[in-house]
Amino acid sequence: MRHLSSVAALSFVALLAATAAQAQPSPTEHALLHELAAQVSPEREHATIARLVAFGTRHTLSDTKSPTRGIGAARRWVASEFQAMSKDCGGCLTIETPSEIVTGRRVPNPTEVMDVLAIQRGTSDPGRVIVISGHLDSRVNDVMNTTADAPGANDDGSGTAAVMEAARVLSKHRFAATLVFAVLSGEEQGLYGGHVLAGYATKQGWRVEADLNNDIVGNSEGINGVRETTRVRVFSEGTKTVETPAEADRRRYNGGEVDSPSRQLARFMDGLANTYFGNFKVTMVYRTDRFGRGGDQVEMLKAGFPSVRVTEANENYTRQHQDIRTEGGVHYGDVIEGVDFAYLANVTRLNVISMAALAAAPAPPTHVAISGALKADTTVKWQPAADAARYRVWWRATTDPQWRYSRLAPPSGQMLLKDVNIDDWFFGVSAIGADGWESPVVFPGAAGSWTHEEPPAAPAAPGTPVSRR
Ligand SMILES: [Zn+2]
């Protein structure tokens, strides 16, 4: 390089950049997703949150009988809104209210925790389910205060509004997979609504492909005054909550610590934002949730369902879990004035197009496996499925955050990547439908599989290079 003039060096760098750019596969752009994004209305979301705030408190242990105040009135209103949407789509939504009687550290007396679900049945693969969730319940400083005004405009009126707006927009269309719009309760008392949802999904035998859990998604001004309207965080676990010790052993050795299905969902959403939004981006965070904090997606992950948490870029803690008051000139409380509806609408758009893209695409490929140790080439295999017309094999450097290279593959279920050495790259496969809709990428083996198809690992013989032994 030192023999090159600086101009030549510069053009060499430019050439490298251009080559890299060309290597980035161009995704198919679907007009439907632009259409759906345009239909999300910040005004409607404003009306939804104003209505939610008007219930005074939506504390999980608050009044359930009053027609005007408390969690009971609030969830009946949500159900009635879903009913009205269903009327507008020829009865396309089924409203279910699964519940459980719980007690716990923050629930001293047996209390019914009830979720409100609107279910839009898939046309060709109804057992495959895409969920969006948010929580209806709210709180103030004292988590046991069931009577004080707890507007919960942003935590989590914003997530609830996103779920309801997604239902309104998406219920006007039909998708291969089932969509579930989930308004949960009991989050602040210990993630009970997420637990109820996970239990219900398991009982129904749903193959939950994704839960997009929206919690605190409507504020654009951080506690330190920074105002940021152009990005949202998507948190995802790196390894599966339900990973077995044997699976962890193999994953630790061969890689896969940043390639769980939940992480691929985050990558999928990141890619959609890049394709469909001019100035609104996903910041992937390689964590299950914010540091030391939780959300309902955790209960879904425990049940083995790939899930992400969507949260605004900068939180304002004076507006979370606070009694409404002014102290030292600071206004505390989760009031509607703290919600930026243009921002919330963009977060909702990301959810809406993610759900549509997932539900329109084939299921993520199963039985993805790679081979090629001691060879110059890598073979990628997967199980062909009826809903896929073809596949795309992906690879990236082991240190890359996003899938970088790809090649279209036939429906046969196998592809040889000539001169791509298995040691140096991470691999994956996505499924593409006849109309060009593409699934998230699946990382090989148990670390990346959406389903539990992997046979239990055979115990490794001494010296076998598959575990740390
Ligand atoms: Zn919350």
Side-chain angles (χ1 to χ4, degrees):
M1 284 292 279
R2 68 193 159 90
H3 296 298
L4 294 173
S5 72
S6 61
V7 172
L10 197 66
S11 59
F12 178 65
V13 169
L15 180 70
L16 271 183
T19 309
Q22 277 162 13
Q24 299 268 12
S26 54
T28 308
E29 199 174 336
H30 295 277
L32 173 65
L33 297 193
H34 286 296
E35 246 173 70
L36 291 171
Q39 284 161 20
V40 170
S41 157
E43 292 76 23
R44 274 184 185 272
E45 295 194 289
H46 188 285
T48 298
I49 294 182
R51 186 69 195 88
L52 293 174
V53 168
F55 290 107
T57 176
R58 305 187 306 280
H59 193 284
T60 302
L61 311 183
S62 64
D63 193 345
T64 57
K65 299 282 189 290
S66 161
T68 55
R69 188 176 177 87
I71 186 81
R75 65 195 181 207
R76 286 190 294 276
W77 176 75
V78 170
S80 73
E81 287 294 294
F82 281 150
Q83 295 287 8
M85 289 176 205
S86 188
K87 230 174 142 185
D88 284 347
C89 64
C92 77
L93 299 175
T94 306
I95 289 75
E96 297 286 349
T97 54
S99 72
E100 263 176 45
I101 310 286
V102 305
T103 49
R105 195 165 55 86
R106 292 175 170 185
V107 187
N109 303 310
T111 302
E112 184 175 34
V113 171
M114 183 185 286
D115 294 342
V116 182
L117 313 180
I119 301 165
Q120 182 179 332
R121 198 177 150 83
T123 52
S124 61
D125 192 0
R128 187 159 72 87
V129 175
I130 317 295
V131 184
I132 180 174
S133 56
H135 71 86
L136 184 61
D137 61 303
S138 62
R139 62 169 285 191
V140 290
N141 290 71
D142 175 4
V143 70
M144 298 312 295
N145 185 336
T146 66
T147 54
D149 277 348
N154 193 36
D155 184 11
D156 185 30
S158 62
T160 301
V163 171
M164 295 175 73
E165 185 63 2
R168 190 186 67 81
V169 170
L170 290 168
S171 59
K172 303 206 162 47
H173 301 266
R174 296 292 163 267
F175 298 94
T178 291
L179 303 181
V180 172
F181 307 96
V183 174
L184 312 178
S185 298
E187 198 271 350
E188 305 291 6
Q189 309 311 114
L191 311 182
Y192 290 106
H195 184 75
V196 169
L197 174 63
Y200 184 79
T202 302
K203 218 163 141 188
Q204 300 295 314
W206 286 351
R207 286 174 283 125
V208 177
E209 187 175 307
D211 172 24
L212 315 183
N213 187 43
N214 284 257
D215 197 350
I216 312 184
V217 289
N219 162 68
S220 60
E221 189 177 10
I223 184 93
N224 57 357
V226 64
R227 212 176 121 69
E228 220 178 347
T229 58
T230 58
R231 67 184 184 94
V232 64
R233 292 179 292 171
V234 176
F235 293 83
S236 59
E237 65 178 13
T239 62
K240 291 177 179 179
T241 301
V242 293
E243 185 179 48
T244 67
E247 289 166 350
D249 236 18
R250 277 184 293 166
R251 185 257 306 157
R252 208 176 284 116
Y253 202 88
N254 291 321
E257 62 274 17
V258 292
D259 279 280
S260 72
S262 303
R263 181 62 48 75
Q264 308 303 349
L265 282 177
R267 292 194 173 105
F268 186 79
M269 294 170 79
D270 180 33
L272 287 175
N274 288 340
T275 304
Y276 291 95
F277 299 135
N279 193 23
F280 190 72
K281 301 296 168 201
V282 165
T283 298
M284 282 195 285
V285 183
Y286 281 22
R287 282 193 168 111
T288 301
D289 208 310
R290 300 144 311 154
F291 187 81
R293 299 162 74 197
D296 286 307
Q297 81 282 4
V298 170
E299 292 298 318
M300 295 294 277
L301 293 169
K302 279 157 74 176
F305 300 134
S307 308
V308 297
R309 179 190 177 117
V310 183
T311 296
E312 63 206 24
N314 298 278
E315 291 178 72
N316 190 332
Y317 311 108
T318 61
R319 295 191 180 130
Q320 292 178 16
H321 305 180
Q322 296 286 348
D323 296 330
I324 301 170
R325 67 193 192 281
T326 302
E327 229 175 72
V330 179
H331 300 293
Y332 290 86
D334 192 355
V335 294
I336 196 166
E337 289 74 20
V339 178
D340 175 342
F341 286 93
Y343 180 78
L344 172 58
N346 276 336
V347 176
T348 308
R349 289 178 181 116
L350 174 67
N351 279 276
V352 164
I353 68 171
S354 299
M355 291 183 80
L358 288 166
T366 62
H367 298 84
V368 178
I370 50 172
S371 59
L374 307 172
K375 289 185 183 136
D377 314 323
T378 299
T379 300
V380 183
K381 288 185 184 177
W382 59 95
Q383 185 163 294
D387 58 352
R390 55 189 174 152
Y391 296 84
R392 196 194 295 265
V393 167
W394 297 81
W395 67 102
R396 68 179 207 268
T398 58
T399 51
D400 276 348
Q402 255 298 7
W403 295 104
R404 185 167 178 82
Y405 307 106
S406 78
R407 207 164 282 166
L408 284 172
S412 65
Q414 178 164 334
M415 190 177 199
L416 180 85
L417 293 171
K418 194 109 186 73
D419 291 322
V420 181
N421 190 299
I422 195 170
D423 301 332
D424 299 346
W425 308 92
F426 283 156
F427 300 87
V429 186
S430 59
I432 305 175
D435 38 14
W437 294 96
E438 186 165 353
S439 79
V441 182
V442 180
F443 188 85
S449 69
W450 246 260
T451 52
H452 303 286
E453 83 247 1
E454 295 300 313
T464 305
V466 293
S467 80
R468 69 175 184 272
R469 283 182 292 271

